[in-house]
Amino acid sequence: MVGVSEAQEPGQQAPAARLPVGIPLLSLTLAAMMDDVHAHSGAVYLLAPDEPVLQMAVMAGLPRSFAAPWERVGLAAPIPVAEAARDRKLVWVGGEEEMARRFPRVAVVLPYPFSLAALPVASESTLYGAVFVTWPGGHAPELSDRERDHLTASCRRLATRLERAAQSGLPLRPEPDLLATPLIGNMSGTLGSVEATRMVARLPYGLCSLDVQGRVTFANPAATELLEVSADRLLGTQLWASVPWLNDPVYEDRYRGALFSQQVTSFVALRPPADWLSFRMYPSTTGLSVRISRARAVAEMARAAPGPGDAPSRLVTITQVLSMAGALTEAVGVQDVVQLVADEIAPAVGCQALVLLGTRGGRLRVLGHRGYPDAHMVEQFDGLPLDSTTPGAQALTSGVPAFFESREQLERLYPARPATPDGFASWAFLPLIASGRPVGTCVLAYAEPHGFPADERAVLTSLGGLVALALERALLYDAKHQLAHGLQAALLPHSLPPLPGIDAAARYLPGTRGMDIGGDFYDVVPTGGQAAAVIGDVQGHNVTAAGLMGQLRTAVRAYTAVGQSPQEVMASTNRLLIDLGSDLFASCLYLRLDPARGRAVMARAGHPPPLLRRPDGRVRVLDLAGGPLLGIDGAAGYPTTEVALTPGSVLALYTDGLIESPGVDIEDALADLGRRLAEAGDLPLDELADTLVRHEAAEERDDDVALLLLRARG
């Protein structure tokens, strides 16, 4: 702990050596700051010595557990105190809706009505930390000039004192948090403690007193009777810890909400087997007073409660929100996000339909929808300009959510909106803001008129932030996915040309993981009365591999067109790959087909051997001569092998993705491919190709797959 001398003339600074030690500087500064602006809680953070992290040094007014997720905060974290520190400016959050919109992480954990100001503690050259203070929900929407000046001056003075302490080498020792405690003395004008106890003992309802930690400090006999717990078991414990049927996060959340918002809060709870009790909490900065009575009206409703088949009411708890956040991290593409919102969020908030809107070319675009009986009703959103006077467009462009409890309210505020009788009665339009920019709007529709209280609006706005992050990732993934497929499609043949005496069919399957792009390629080239065919696989699964694959395919066509023999085509392609300076290798299989003479000449560079199915149905693996992978040795030679190709024979050329899979021996996989080729070899060539890749098309694949089938006509 360090302190400063208070007995100095205005404008003078106390000598650093005379700073008294032992005074809790941070606690006293925070207490004075809160008193100046009538705040009810706050905390001081100090910047960690060797890392961009703010560490909570002291908290006042509320238990530290309320801010447990933010004990240590990275300077880049999207929360108010971190933003205040990194931008060196005051950050003001005027209420729970603004908190949910700007800082959804905080709103998810603290969905209560309160205002917050965060300020940096910094000198002209050095950042020391940050401070936040909060007010209950009744604070004005804006921070007053007086409050702003008091807070700014207090943080400036604290920075000066920390600077002096640092210059003097005085370390800051741990300081206790400041939790308000009940007054004990100076109770003139009130009943004495003995008479007060007698008075509350005579009351027909239960009374409990809780400190700010939620621990019971007093309970009258009626309270112990209603709770069915003795006084010695209650005192010093938290209600939800000592009363088994109150051990539910929902009830603890009511205590947190009352203490944080400083507003009277009530709830009812079922005391087994069938007695309902009413709890009403009256908060102050020193703790809470709790009145407990029998909830007769609720008990009457319980006796006439709906049967088991009726739908229960829903409450979106923090646990549910965190569960939804976890589910949304699993979404890959946009349609995954739509499905998860429909499966996870829509049932939790009780809506019956939803639309997810994005933007393209300055207009709204429907990304997906669920729950609409007629899909044409959703078309009203598609193509609307972003500057149109519609709730979906305005929510996206303004970043402000819109809630309509009835159709009349919607039509009154948006009379120019196209009227479409979709059968719904209430709507929530949630802007989806990610990385500081709008990415879309989530529209939730309710079949019945639906009120949107402040706490529900805050939760829905927070959920919109979670959906926005998932949607941003999904849009990026889909864009990369389309780019990959577009690039792959451009590099592979759009169709196979007719070949003299040969029927051909090909299939390509991209990998199902990563960017869905690879280096597998195939091609067929007519050459007068003959034909050439090639299949290959460039090492890697990225844009570099795909680009190199396109160069090799072009080179093979060029070398074929100038009349090179199979071994010359392979050698020339090998030298080209080395000349390109790439560190990638490639396997390749090249064939020169002469159907008139019934033969095929093949050259192989480290590629899997082809399969030959004879007209009688027998299949054999062709044992071909060959050389090393392309791109290894510029002087490598590639000998050829001549194979008889009688009418009706089928050659199956493939890449390793067709026969390699985790846990499967490659010889077994090759034998299985040969068996399928033998059984289905008489099918039309396109059907045969589909049959051979059907299993791979239905499975997850790390590698891409290429298949080229060639059948000699009779």
Side-chain angles (χ1 to χ4, degrees):
M1 302 179 183
V2 299
V4 295
S5 171
E6 301 296 339
Q8 62 186 62
E9 295 298 324
Q12 292 183 337
Q13 294 185 355
R18 296 178 57 192
L19 288 174
V21 178
I23 298 177
L25 168 64
L26 303 180
S27 300
L28 291 180
T29 301
L30 180 60
M33 186 185 306
M34 291 168 54
D35 187 59
D36 285 341
V37 297
H38 308 294
H40 85 302
S41 74
V44 177
Y45 286 81
L46 295 179
L47 187 64
D50 302 317
E51 53 183 338
V53 172
L54 296 173
Q55 297 176 316
M56 184 183 291
V58 64
M59 187 166 184
L62 290 172
R64 186 176 284 229
S65 60
F66 279 36
W70 308 291
E71 285 274 357
R72 284 172 52 86
V73 176
L75 279 178
I79 67 171
V81 70
E83 182 175 314
R86 65 175 179 267
D87 294 343
R88 305 284 185 96
K89 68 176 183 181
L90 186 150
V91 175
W92 167 250
V93 184
E96 58 185 321
E97 289 192 22
E98 185 178 358
M99 182 68 77
R101 185 173 68 252
R102 295 175 56 192
F103 304 104
R105 291 189 188 179
V106 178
V108 165
V109 180
L110 300 174
Y112 313 120
F114 70 97
S115 302
L116 178 145
L119 301 93
V121 177
S123 65
E124 291 294 330
S125 59
T126 306
L127 174 68
Y128 293 99
V131 170
F132 78 76
V133 293
T134 70
W135 294 262
H139 190 280
E142 298 296 334
L143 197 64
S144 69
D145 291 340
R146 186 193 72 81
E147 292 169 329
R148 184 181 296 270
D149 293 342
H150 272 293
L151 292 173
T152 304
S154 295
C155 289
R156 191 180 301 118
R157 287 194 296 270
L158 177 58
T160 301
R161 292 168 179 171
L162 292 174
E163 186 175 39
R164 293 175 186 170
Q167 292 170 351
S168 303
L170 297 175
L172 286 177
R173 297 189 178 92
E175 300 181 17
D177 291 342
L178 301 177
L179 296 179
T181 56
L183 296 174
I184 298 176
N186 194 24
M187 298 180 65
S188 60
T190 65
L191 293 172
S193 59
V194 174
E195 186 56 35
T197 303
R198 290 173 179 169
M199 180 187 73
V200 297
R202 293 192 291 265
L203 294 174
Y205 46 81
L207 282 179
C208 288
S209 179
L210 310 183
D211 65 14
V212 292
Q213 300 281 9
R215 297 173 298 212
V216 179
T217 58
F218 172 83
N220 70 348
T224 61
E225 180 181 349
L226 288 168
L227 295 174
E228 296 183 337
V229 178
S230 62
D232 60 337
R233 287 179 54 197
L234 278 176
L235 294 179
T237 68
Q238 295 171 319
L239 273 179
W240 46 91
S242 55
V243 182
W245 44 272
L246 287 179
N247 188 16
D248 188 312
V250 171
Y251 304 135
E252 182 182 356
D253 187 63
R254 294 294 191 272
Y255 140 78
R256 290 162 56 92
L259 199 59
F260 209 95
S261 67
Q262 292 292 294
Q263 295 179 358
V264 177
T265 302
S266 61
F267 65 90
V268 293
L270 176 64
R271 185 188 69 189
D275 295 319
W276 288 89
L277 299 184
S278 171
F279 295 77
R280 193 165 181 84
M281 296 182 170
Y282 300 87
S284 74
T285 56
T286 62
L288 299 94
S289 297
V290 185
R291 172 176 168 161
I292 309 171
S293 59
R294 296 184 183 276
R296 292 183 176 83
V298 177
E300 290 294 330
M301 287 190 294
R303 282 191 283 272
D310 292 76
S313 60
R314 293 190 177 271
L315 173 67
V316 179
T317 64
I318 292 175
T319 303
Q320 285 177 295
V321 171
L322 296 177
S323 174
M324 296 170 194
L328 286 169
T329 62
E330 300 173 2
V332 177
V334 171
Q335 292 310 308
D336 294 332
V337 176
V338 175
Q339 191 61 49
L340 279 168
V341 172
D343 292 343
E344 299 281 345
I345 294 180
V349 303
C351 73
Q352 284 70 48
L354 66 95
V355 181
L356 211 59
L357 302 174
T359 64
R360 187 171 65 250
R363 294 182 178 272
L364 289 177
R365 299 297 177 189
V366 175
L367 302 177
H369 60 89
R370 296 290 187 277
Y372 280 82
D374 184 357
H376 294 294
M377 296 175 181
V378 183
E379 294 177 359
Q380 62 175 307
F381 299 107
D382 200 57
L384 288 174
L386 293 184
D387 58 358
S388 62
T389 310
T390 60
Q394 293 200 345
L396 188 148
T397 55
S398 68
V400 178
F403 303 93
F404 303 97
E405 300 181 359
S406 66
R407 179 174 292 276
E408 291 74 21
Q409 185 182 24
L410 176 63
E411 293 176 348
R412 183 175 67 253
L413 293 175
Y414 291 92
R417 167 185 169 272
T420 303
D422 53 17
F424 295 103
S426 300
W427 297 266
F429 290 81
L430 308 177
L432 305 180
I433 309 297
S435 304
R437 65 182 186 87
V439 296
T441 301
C442 181
V443 184
L444 305 178
Y446 298 77
E448 302 294 335
H450 183 86
F452 295 96
D455 57 348
E456 184 175 347
R457 295 186 182 206
V459 169
L460 289 175
T461 306
S462 298
L463 291 176
L466 297 177
V467 174
L469 293 173
L471 181 60
E472 182 184 43
R473 292 193 305 270
L475 288 169
L476 181 60
Y477 174 84
D478 283 353
K480 289 183 176 179
H481 191 270
Q482 292 172 5
L483 173 62
H485 277 275
L487 177 60
Q488 197 83 52
L491 295 176
L492 291 173
H494 296 288
S495 61
L496 299 180
L499 303 175
I502 298 290
D503 293 327
R507 294 293 183 270
Y508 175 80
L509 301 177
T512 58
R513 299 189 179 98
M515 198 175 170
D516 289 0
I517 191 169
D520 288 13
F521 67 97
Y522 61 87
D523 202 358
V524 293
V525 184
T527 57
Q530 299 182 347
V534 64
I535 191 166
D537 184 359
V538 177
Q539 173 193 14
H541 302 91
N542 50 41
V543 174
T544 302
L548 190 59
M549 172 267 282
Q551 291 176 295
L552 294 187
R553 176 175 165 248
T554 302
V556 169
R557 291 184 69 93
Y559 296 141
T560 300
V562 298
Q564 289 190 354
S565 64
Q567 61 267 38
E568 290 173 334
V569 169
M570 199 69 80
S572 298
T573 307
N574 177 49
R575 287 192 296 271
L576 171 67
L577 184 55
I578 293 174
D579 292 343
L580 289 174
S582 172
D583 57 356
L584 299 180
F585 308 130
S587 69
C588 189
L589 176 63
Y590 181 85
L591 292 76
R592 186 65 57 83
L593 303 165
D594 189 350
R597 298 175 56 192
R599 69 173 193 152
V601 179
M602 307 182 189
R604 185 164 71 103
H607 199 80
L611 299 180
L612 175 63
R613 183 187 188 272
R614 298 189 181 280
D616 59 7
R618 289 181 299 167
V619 174
R620 70 184 182 97
V621 179
L622 297 181
D623 184 17
L624 305 180
L629 293 170
L630 302 179
I632 294 179
D633 180 6
Y638 296 92
T640 60
T641 302
E642 185 172 316
V643 176
L645 190 62
T646 57
S649 299
V650 177
L651 275 171
L653 319 180
Y654 54 90
T655 56
D656 55 9
L658 187 65
I659 57 173
E660 291 184 356
S661 58
V664 178
D665 185 84
I666 193 166
E667 291 187 5
D668 294 338
L670 190 57
D672 179 66
L673 178 63
R675 179 186 54 78
R676 287 184 282 148
L677 177 60
E679 293 174 353
D682 292 328
L683 292 174
L685 217 52
D686 280 317
E687 294 183 29
L688 176 59
D690 291 335
T691 299
L692 296 182
V693 301
R694 183 172 294 123
H695 176 73
E696 282 67 27
E699 297 292 326
E700 293 285 319
R701 298 180 306 280
D702 291 323
D703 201 358
D704 46 346
V705 173
L707 172 69
L708 179 61
L709 298 179
L710 304 168
R711 175 181 283 157
R713 291 196 295 266

